[in-house]
Amino acid sequence: MTVETQNRVIKQHLIDPEICIRCNTCEETCPIDAITHDSNNYVVDVDICNSCMACVPPCPTGAIDNWLRVVATEAYSLEDQFSWSELPAEQELPADTVEAPANANGAAAGAEAATEAVEDVTSELEGVPSTGSGASIPPWSAAHPYVNLYTHKNVATATVAGNYRLTDAETDNAIHHIVLDFGELPFPVLEGQSIAVFPPGTDENGRPYHARQYSIASPRDGERPGYNNLSLTVKRVTSDYDGNPVRGVASNYLCDLQKGDKVRVIGPFGNTFLMPNLPHSNLIMICTGTGSAPMRAMTERCRRLTKDRAFNGKLMLFFGARTERELPYFGPLMNLPKDFIDINLALSRAADKPKKYVQDLIRERGADVLELIDDTNTCIFVCGLKGMETGVLEALKDVVEGAGRNWSEVHAQLKSQGRLHFETY
Ligand code: A2P
């Protein structure tokens, strides 16, 4: 190995563990699987990352946008990154280092690209790459969101104004509606945005718990108009994906909150999953369980506007739950006028009824869904279980192709126009 290759300097792409809210967006977005995670941190594999920047714009916090100059042979390994609770400081580099050449392959080439990218992030943002199933840009008429007003270095405190169980007490599925009040503290949000909450206490390694992200369930003007508050829809986690018992740290903390308790919050986050802002916009909302939070926010926004004759678009909702008793906001939803919102409930475990998923109902209502898709004033929002993403895409594809049309073209158009948005977990 020559001195030159030994001391080649790269810009290593790293994720700041102090700011990251572990939302998985970067891992989902990375087109070459360079990002992975363990129970502690999200990390970037220096041997795979080519600094394509696809992950940077979608990151809600900016934690992804860190580039440290290191000697290539001393780049931080995955194990190093998994163990961090903060980013290391940039080391002083040996005097005989050489910058990676612009035409080098792999990580070195990526590092070059990264240097440019770091210097000119705005130009990257202008040509936002459209990766993944959904759009990486908001609808053109969306109101402009505030993001990252409160960060790890400037945490907001909210007061619990209410905590109500939404699902039937007889069921195992405990979903809560939690109202957080910010008092005099400015905390402007839009429907579709999220916040992150710090559970108090430390993990098994004695480190403070990471902030956990939750979608906001109330519209921009508050749970009640004129109040500086917002609500969350939180499911008490008592088992993991395989059904093994676990105690979800943040969800149990939130579901146990009492009125008057103080909660540490950062955010708001999210600049793409935003509703269009026109009186004649149409929304197709597709959700399961707590994925109903942003749909409640958007529906309530439209309901208030309708009262003021400021909204006359169409709302079509596909909502999946096990039973009616486990469907959050079932009562208020059913009270909404039929000519205001077209509600389609997909119940998977209702007695004496065939099992239905949201994608089944999308197919059943295919003609109406297609009519809305063909209207450029329509935006589609999907929120809920990760597994539904593929199912919903396949259902939309069937609807479009069933009419003899080309799904790839329609899908690409929905993405490039900021009209198809996913938030799954
Ligand atoms: P299932 O009865 O098969 O679990 P949860 O109550 O766990 O939050 O789930 C909300 C709803 O989403 C349930 O009706 C659940 O059905 C359904 N669901 C589970 N997997 C999928 C999937 N891949 N696509 C659509 N819906 C799903």
Side-chain angles (χ1 to χ4, degrees):
M1 194 185 277
T2 64
V3 173
E4 195 174 280
T5 52
Q6 252 174 10
N7 288 344
R8 186 167 50 88
V9 173
I10 60 166
K11 283 254 179 189
Q12 184 172 1
H13 186 196
L14 297 167
I15 299 173
D16 187 337
E18 285 188 285
I19 298 177
C20 173
I21 52 172
R22 281 94 183 148
C23 63
N24 205 51
T25 307
C26 54
E27 192 171 319
E28 271 173 37
T29 313
C30 179
I32 52 170
D33 294 333
I35 299 177
T36 180
H37 71 277
D38 69 358
S39 58
N40 194 35
N41 283 340
Y42 275 73
V43 298
V44 185
D45 192 329
V46 68
D47 294 328
I48 302 177
C49 176
N50 63 7
S51 305
C52 70
M53 300 296 285
C55 59
V56 172
C59 171
T61 63
I64 193 82
D65 201 6
N66 283 283
W67 311 85
L68 224 59
R69 291 175 80 235
V70 295
V71 176
T73 50
E74 290 168 22
Y76 294 105
S77 67
L78 294 181
E79 282 63 38
D80 292 333
Q81 297 174 55
F82 282 136
S83 70
W84 289 343
S85 49
E86 59 185 324
L87 281 180
E90 196 159 85
Q91 303 291 320
E92 204 164 307
L93 298 168
D96 56 348
T97 54
V98 287
E99 298 289 336
N103 60 351
N105 290 329
E112 262 319 295
T115 314
E116 285 161 28
V118 172
E119 279 159 11
D120 190 6
V121 170
T122 37
S123 68
E124 275 298 329
L125 287 169
E126 277 162 19
V128 184
S130 188
T131 52
S133 318
S136 48
I137 44 173
W140 71 264
S141 63
H144 291 205
Y146 287 91
V147 291
N148 286 316
L149 284 181
Y150 299 90
T151 64
H152 288 65
K153 294 196 169 67
N154 174 30
V155 176
T157 301
T159 306
V160 177
N163 182 352
Y164 317 94
R165 182 171 164 139
L166 293 167
T167 43
D168 194 306
E170 303 290 303
T171 68
D172 296 338
N173 213 344
I175 300 181
H176 284 239
H177 181 72
I178 299 160
V179 183
L180 300 179
D181 193 280
F182 289 93
E184 301 294 311
L185 191 72
F187 205 99
V189 299
L190 291 174
E191 304 79 13
Q193 285 196 290
S194 57
I195 61 166
V197 172
F198 288 101
T202 53
D203 64 18
E204 62 279 8
N205 299 316
R207 285 193 286 245
Y209 285 122
H210 304 303
R212 314 294 164 101
Q213 194 186 11
Y214 293 92
S215 287
I216 296 166
S218 46
R220 63 190 76 181
D221 52 345
E223 184 65 8
R224 278 173 65 185
Y227 282 67
N228 187 18
N229 61 16
L230 57 79
S231 59
L232 305 176
T233 314
V234 182
K235 177 172 172 166
R236 190 187 287 277
V237 174
T238 52
S239 60
D240 65 14
Y241 281 109
D242 301 322
N244 306 312
V246 291
R247 194 171 188 281
V249 171
S251 71
N252 279 279
Y253 160 65
L254 286 168
C255 290
D256 288 337
L257 284 170
Q258 304 290 315
K259 199 171 169 184
D261 284 349
K262 302 289 181 200
V263 180
R264 297 175 69 237
V265 174
I266 55 175
F269 304 117
N271 50 15
T272 55
F273 194 108
L274 298 173
M275 63 189 290
N277 214 19
L278 298 171
H280 51 278
S281 309
N282 308 311
L283 308 183
I284 299 180
M285 298 174 280
I286 305 165
C287 63
T288 56
T290 53
S292 53
M295 313 315 178
R296 178 182 184 269
M298 292 183 187
T299 303
E300 183 58 13
R301 167 77 180 158
C302 295
R303 196 189 65 82
R304 289 180 194 174
L305 290 172
T306 304
K307 273 173 61 180
D308 296 338
R309 297 176 192 277
F311 179 78
N312 61 3
K314 293 191 178 121
L315 303 185
M316 190 173 200
L317 173 70
F318 294 92
F319 195 158
R322 296 173 189 184
T323 63
E324 283 178 2
R325 298 189 312 159
E326 292 166 273
L327 193 138
Y329 308 112
F330 180 72
L333 192 59
M334 289 301 127
N335 285 335
L336 293 171
K338 300 272 172 294
D339 59 352
F340 167 67
I341 182 167
D342 179 349
I343 300 172
N344 300 269
L345 299 184
L347 302 177
S348 58
R349 304 187 199 181
D352 309 326
K353 282 195 191 143
K355 174 180 178 134
K356 293 274 183 188
Y357 276 177
V358 283
Q359 47 268 42
D360 300 321
L361 300 191
I362 292 170
R363 287 191 181 87
E364 285 174 25
R365 298 291 311 276
D368 298 311
V369 170
L370 188 60
E371 197 180 318
L372 283 178
I373 288 177
D374 279 340
D375 182 343
T376 53
N377 292 308
T378 302
C379 290
I380 306 174
F381 297 94
V382 185
C383 187
L385 297 171
K386 179 87 198 133
M388 76 190 283
E389 193 165 323
T390 320
V392 166
L393 277 170
E394 278 167 5
L396 293 174
K397 179 172 188 271
D398 288 350
V399 165
V400 170
E401 290 189 345
R405 310 257 302 280
N406 183 322
W407 166 244
S408 302
E409 281 170 19
V410 173
H411 188 194
Q413 201 176 43
L414 288 170
K415 291 205 295 181
S416 66
Q417 294 174 344
R419 293 174 50 213
L420 175 62
H421 295 276
F422 288 89
E423 196 140 290
T424 56
Y425 37 82

